[in-house]
Amino acid sequence: MLLDSTQLEDRCGSPRSLFSAPVDSRAVDPTPISPEPISSKDIIPKKISSHDRKPPPTLAGGPPPKPTTPAMAAANQESFASNAHIMTTPSSIKQVNRTPIVLIPPLSADSSLSDYKTFREHEPRKEPKGRPAVVISHDKIRDQRAVADQASDDLRTLLEGIFDAEEQITEETSALPSTEAFSYFTWIDHGGVEVRALATDKLVKLDLSLQKVTTTGKLGDIPIDDLCRLQKLCTKDLMIVQSSELSIDATWNNDDFSAWLQRVGLAESALRSARIILRIMIGLKGEKRVCSEEILQHVVGVLNQIFNQCIIPVVEARPRDAGAEFFELVSPYKKEIGQVLYQTNKLMKMLVEMLAKVDIAETIITGLEFFAIRILFVENAQLEKESILSIPKFEAPRRTAMDIITGVFAKYPEQRPFIFDEILSSLQKLPIKGQNARQFKLSDGTSIQLVSALIMRLIQTSAAPARSLVKVGQPRATGQRKRRLSASSPSESEAENSSKTGNDDEESQASSVGDNDGTYDHAKQRLSREATDLSSISARDAQYVMGYLVRRAMTASKSGDQPYRHLLDMFAEDLILVLGNAEWPAAEMLLNVLMSIMMNITETKSTAPAKTMALELLGIMGSAISELVAGTQSLARNLENQDSERGIHLRQMFDEYVDGRFQNTELFVWDGPYRIVLDYLASVDSEGLPTRSAQVFYLTQWAKSVGTAQSTTECEGKPMVHQLQKMLSSRAWNPT
């Protein structure tokens, strides 16, 4: 028979106190509790007369409960009897512990060790110092999946709406398209003909939706045919802009500018369409159907057209001389032109991302090189009042153009000679006076020339093993172009050998690193060979750049028309400004090369102007070295008050250097200066500063020092050799 609710509450307390009262698990006695005997009168309810019985509540509209039959009562009594051994006393019920308890049964008498299996204890993944362990709950994973699925569904719905609207508008039927179908497109007068383009709001939704789907990794769930169809639809917008004229005529009236503003709006929409095209290519980087070379040519073509016809003439306009009328005419439209410039910079950043993830054809690479170098050497205004768009607005895409050149330089070694030649031959376009000469701001607030920063980044990138990713399109450098590049530039074969070496390293690194079968000497020789080859390429590039500048500066004077003497002085000043800065290690290499050339000029039969130039530059460099040593001494004194192990170690090393007791082998120990600098650069890089090239440069120099060292033992050096070789091949500092 069953206990009624009143009896259960009397014996065990209220239901609320039974299940919700806090229990101190430390107070629970771990010994088993023996149940007290319970008599039958304790479990048999009191007799209730038929008059006192109240029918139990029933659900509204439901059938009344069935009355208890003698058979049911007997079954209840039998259940109580069979479960009597597990019943507890009221006091024990009140001590119930809500914490789950796992009871492990004792071993049986006939058990043996062979009946059990030993499992290795799981070691949790170690997180880097200062970074808390990331714990992802199942609920969070489910939420992320739900978000990804929702983003994928939203993109499908949007694509279906666009394609249905396109079919309704293009089909030649008697039925008129719906009003909703017309909302997906806009019509613009293009040379007397109305052309159809995707509406701006739909382009914005498409871009955001694609970004969400790509971020969640769900772009592969979208049918490839739909994505190709979307790319073709967006390409039509690019083709319309390419057949338009975006230039401004100084003789225009208000009606002409109204028509021009419509074309500018169409160009802005085309830039959004180009971003959608690139986002699909980046998301499906292994799919050749979406990485069409023809479509990429349209993307680069639109960028070139917008800059050449619309942006560059506005940037170069000045409120004086012959450009005064144009300046006054265009100034009222600086907001519209500035918006177009903003959209072009966003598209250029996507091109930088694409260069890092997708291998593209040589024709596209060549077009990007000409485009980016052209932007670098556009003369910006020196004063804000002389600029229509403001000086900083144009410096942003210029820095992105520098990232494009660096990306091409890092990934395609066969393009490096051409890039150097184009940059050096364009130096004469640079301004040599005024504030505009130095617009690239460093992390410490000082400024240098943008081209100086670019050359240093390229030299640092030369020390990295080149590698290619997904190959799409035709081969990049063949035949006549290769011969033309190698005829007037540094050795291209060395760059190609570096590329092959880097690729071979990546394929074999997984098997070679950590392989105990190879000897320490063999691993050390291999590391030395690879690092020395990469360092030699970087040094030869530095010699080529400085030799080019010095040869042209020797035939020019400071008072002459040719600016190379001024440019050499400014370049040397820029290198001195960043000397000792961890983010620009190539400055020391370039200054060493310049010093060697200047010393050679003073010691050989050279012209008087050349010797004068050499002595001036040597004096400037000597003064800079003295200031650097004095600054280092001041920093070393500040380390005396620091209790950190690294600070004490650096202070001791500096004292040994001053006293002449310093050994070069102390530079490349695992916890030495190289690691300190690389850890610093890694922390700065997390803030978005471009320090990857500096990290690889230091890794190469460190690996070269370790590979050529004679004092390290196999026990101490073998782990470091394998670790450096692994990081050098992956082109990343990752000590964990």
Side-chain angles (χ1 to χ4, degrees):
M1 297 180 67
L2 296 175
L3 293 171
D4 62 12
S5 60
T6 304
Q7 288 177 310
L8 181 62
E9 186 170 346
D10 292 340
R11 292 177 57 84
C12 304
S14 65
R16 180 179 182 87
S17 63
L18 177 63
F19 295 103
S20 63
V23 179
D24 188 359
S25 59
R26 294 172 297 180
V28 179
D29 189 356
T31 58
I33 302 174
S34 301
E36 298 179 1
I38 303 175
S39 61
S40 59
K41 66 180 181 179
D42 292 331
I43 61 175
I44 299 176
K46 62 182 180 180
K47 300 265 185 182
I48 301 176
S49 64
S50 58
H51 299 286
D52 297 334
R53 288 184 186 275
K54 295 182 180 181
T58 61
L59 297 176
K66 295 182 180 180
T68 303
T69 62
M72 295 174 60
N76 288 338
Q77 185 67 26
E78 184 179 355
S79 299
F80 273 105
S82 62
N83 295 330
H85 66 284
I86 64 172
M87 299 187 67
T88 58
T89 63
S91 59
S92 64
I93 292 178
K94 294 181 181 180
Q95 296 178 1
V96 172
N97 188 359
R98 296 177 60 192
T99 305
I101 299 176
V102 178
L103 299 178
I104 302 177
L107 297 177
S108 60
D110 56 348
S111 63
S112 62
L113 186 62
S114 59
D115 297 334
Y116 298 89
K117 182 178 180 181
T118 302
F119 293 90
R120 183 171 58 88
E121 183 178 357
H122 173 70
E123 296 181 358
R125 182 171 64 92
K126 296 181 179 180
E127 295 290 339
K129 293 182 179 180
R131 184 181 302 175
V134 179
V135 180
I136 302 177
S137 64
H138 294 288
D139 293 338
K140 187 173 182 179
I141 293 176
R142 284 194 295 268
D143 293 341
Q144 291 175 348
R145 290 175 180 173
V147 170
D149 293 338
Q150 184 62 43
S152 181
D153 293 340
D154 292 343
L155 179 58
R156 287 195 187 94
T157 303
L158 184 57
L159 290 178
E160 290 175 0
I162 293 174
F163 297 152
D164 290 344
E166 184 187 23
E167 292 173 356
Q168 292 183 32
I169 294 173
T170 56
E171 286 182 356
E172 296 181 357
T173 60
S174 57
L176 292 175
S178 63
T179 305
E180 184 180 0
F182 281 107
S183 66
Y184 283 90
F185 297 93
T186 182
W187 278 259
I188 299 177
D189 184 10
H190 180 61
V193 179
E194 282 194 344
V195 294
R196 185 183 72 249
L198 280 171
T200 302
D201 60 331
K202 304 302 179 185
L203 288 172
V204 173
K205 288 183 179 180
L206 270 173
D207 191 27
L208 293 176
S209 184
L210 275 169
Q211 185 177 4
K212 291 180 181 178
V213 174
T214 304
T215 303
T216 57
K218 285 286 187 176
L219 190 60
D221 296 346
I222 307 299
I224 190 68
D225 292 335
D226 290 349
L227 295 177
C228 290
R229 183 177 178 182
L230 177 61
Q231 281 188 324
K232 292 180 179 178
L233 190 61
C234 292
T235 305
K236 293 180 180 179
D237 296 349
L238 306 183
M239 296 172 66
I240 293 173
V241 173
Q242 286 183 291
S243 61
S244 303
E245 183 64 37
L246 298 176
S247 301
I248 301 175
D249 194 336
T251 62
W252 280 359
N253 54 28
N254 292 335
D255 294 337
D256 295 328
F257 269 106
S258 297
W260 175 79
L261 287 176
Q262 286 189 343
R263 296 194 295 271
V264 168
L266 185 59
E268 188 177 345
S269 298
L271 292 170
R272 290 191 173 93
S273 297
R275 286 212 312 272
I276 292 172
I277 292 172
L278 294 185
R279 206 176 290 281
I280 295 173
M281 292 182 177
I282 295 172
L284 298 177
K285 57 186 178 182
E287 180 58 52
K288 293 184 178 180
R289 293 175 59 185
V290 299
C291 296
S292 169
E293 180 182 348
E294 181 181 359
I295 295 178
L296 277 175
Q297 285 179 341
H298 286 298
V299 172
V300 179
V302 165
L303 266 177
N304 265 313
Q305 181 183 6
I306 292 176
F307 267 94
N308 292 333
Q309 295 184 2
C310 182
I311 295 177
I312 292 179
V314 174
V315 172
E316 294 180 338
R318 300 291 179 266
R320 59 179 182 272
D321 302 332
E325 183 179 359
F326 182 85
F327 188 94
E328 295 295 332
L329 192 66
V330 179
S331 294
Y333 305 100
K334 62 181 180 181
K335 182 178 179 181
E336 291 80 1
I337 301 174
Q339 183 63 28
V340 174
L341 180 62
Y342 173 74
Q343 295 296 335
T344 56
N345 192 34
K346 293 179 68 174
L347 179 58
M348 290 166 63
K349 289 181 178 179
M350 290 201 67
L351 284 170
V352 175
E353 182 181 359
M354 184 176 178
L355 280 170
K357 296 182 179 180
V358 180
D359 220 11
I360 54 182
E362 181 191 7
T363 54
I364 308 300
I365 292 297
T366 304
L368 283 175
E369 289 170 349
F370 281 115
F371 163 73
I373 293 175
R374 170 83 169 92
I375 295 176
L376 284 178
F377 294 97
V378 172
E379 185 176 358
N380 203 352
Q382 298 183 14
L383 302 174
E384 281 292 337
K385 64 180 181 180
E386 295 182 349
S387 174
I388 296 177
L389 300 176
S390 83
I391 296 175
K393 283 187 177 179
F394 188 69
E395 291 303 317
R398 261 223 277 240
R399 297 188 69 153
T400 309
M402 184 173 71
D403 294 337
I404 291 176
I405 296 172
T406 306
V408 174
F409 188 91
K411 191 174 179 181
Y412 304 105
E414 68 274 11
Q415 299 290 335
R416 294 178 180 180
F418 174 73
I419 291 174
F420 272 126
D421 285 345
E422 288 297 315
I423 292 174
L424 295 175
S425 62
S426 302
L427 288 177
Q428 58 184 351
K429 302 176 184 177
L430 289 175
I432 58 176
K433 295 180 180 179
Q435 298 177 352
N436 190 41
R438 291 185 169 95
Q439 292 288 346
F440 187 88
K441 291 190 177 298
L442 303 175
S443 57
D444 59 358
T446 58
S447 299
I448 61 175
Q449 295 181 106
L450 183 68
V451 69
S452 299
L454 174 60
I455 290 176
M456 285 189 285
R457 283 184 64 178
L458 296 183
I459 298 298
Q460 292 167 183
T461 306
S462 297
R467 62 182 179 183
S468 297
L469 302 180
V470 184
K471 293 185 177 181
V472 179
Q474 63 187 24
R476 293 178 302 280
T478 56
Q480 182 179 1
R481 176 167 176 78
K482 263 194 174 183
R483 291 192 295 271
R484 180 172 65 84
L485 294 180
S486 61
S488 60
S489 303
S491 173
E492 182 178 322
S493 60
E494 293 178 358
E496 291 179 351
N497 291 334
S498 171
S499 176
K500 293 178 181 179
T501 301
N503 292 332
D504 294 341
D505 288 343
E506 288 183 2
E507 295 174 0
S508 61
Q509 195 63 40
S511 60
S512 64
V513 175
D515 187 1
N516 295 325
D517 296 336
T519 63
Y520 166 67
D521 291 337
H522 175 72
K524 187 176 177 182
Q525 290 173 3
R526 179 184 177 186
L527 179 65
S528 175
R529 182 178 63 255
E530 295 172 2
T532 301
D533 291 342
L534 293 170
S535 181
S536 298
I537 294 174
S538 182
R540 284 189 173 90
D541 287 344
Q543 291 172 357
Y544 180 77
V545 171
M546 298 309 303
Y548 183 96
L549 290 174
V550 171
R551 285 194 302 271
R552 280 152 181 78
M554 289 175 64
T555 60
S557 62
K558 290 188 175 182
S559 59
D561 296 334
Q562 294 182 347
Y564 285 102
R565 177 59 199 281
H566 289 282
L567 292 174
L568 179 60
D569 290 343
M570 293 182 65
F571 187 51
E573 292 171 2
D574 289 343
L575 297 179
I576 291 171
L577 279 173
V578 299
L579 183 62
N581 192 322
E583 287 125 352
W584 305 101
E588 180 184 357
M589 175 178 284
L590 288 164
L591 285 174
N592 277 328
V593 173
L594 180 60
M595 181 187 66
S596 177
I597 296 175
M598 295 298 104
M599 291 292 293
N600 186 44
I601 291 175
T602 59
E603 295 172 357
T604 59
K605 293 182 180 180
S606 302
T607 62
K611 288 190 176 183
T612 302
M613 176 187 70
L615 292 174
E616 288 180 358
L617 288 174
L618 287 173
I620 294 174
M621 287 187 283
S623 176
I625 293 173
S626 299
E627 292 179 2
L628 180 62
V629 172
T632 306
Q633 291 175 344
S634 176
L635 292 175
R637 286 193 295 268
N638 294 333
L639 292 175
E640 295 178 352
N641 301 325
Q642 293 189 7
D643 297 332
S644 64
E645 294 182 2
R646 285 186 170 181
I648 296 174
H649 181 54
L650 289 175
R651 173 64 184 178
Q652 292 175 350
M653 291 180 65
F654 181 76
D655 291 340
E656 292 175 358
Y657 172 79
V658 173
D659 297 339
R661 297 180 290 106
F662 182 75
Q663 299 293 329
N664 290 334
T665 54
E666 298 182 30
L667 288 174
F668 52 81
V669 295
W670 181 247
D671 291 327
Y674 276 109
R675 175 163 187 175
I676 294 174
V677 173
L678 285 167
D679 285 342
Y680 163 74
L681 291 175
S683 65
V684 174
D685 186 67
S686 63
E687 300 174 3
L689 297 177
T691 61
R692 296 296 176 90
S693 62
Q695 293 181 42
V696 179
F697 188 88
Y698 283 118
L699 278 174
T700 301
Q701 299 299 321
W702 191 6
K704 179 183 176 182
S705 301
V706 171
T708 56
Q710 302 294 330
S711 61
T712 55
T713 63
E714 180 174 351
C715 178
E716 297 173 350
K718 187 173 183 179
M720 183 166 62
V721 166
H722 287 315
Q723 186 78 347
L724 287 175
Q725 193 171 44
K726 180 180 179 181
M727 290 187 292
L728 188 62
S729 298
S730 62
R731 300 164 37 146
W733 167 245
N734 185 18
T736 57

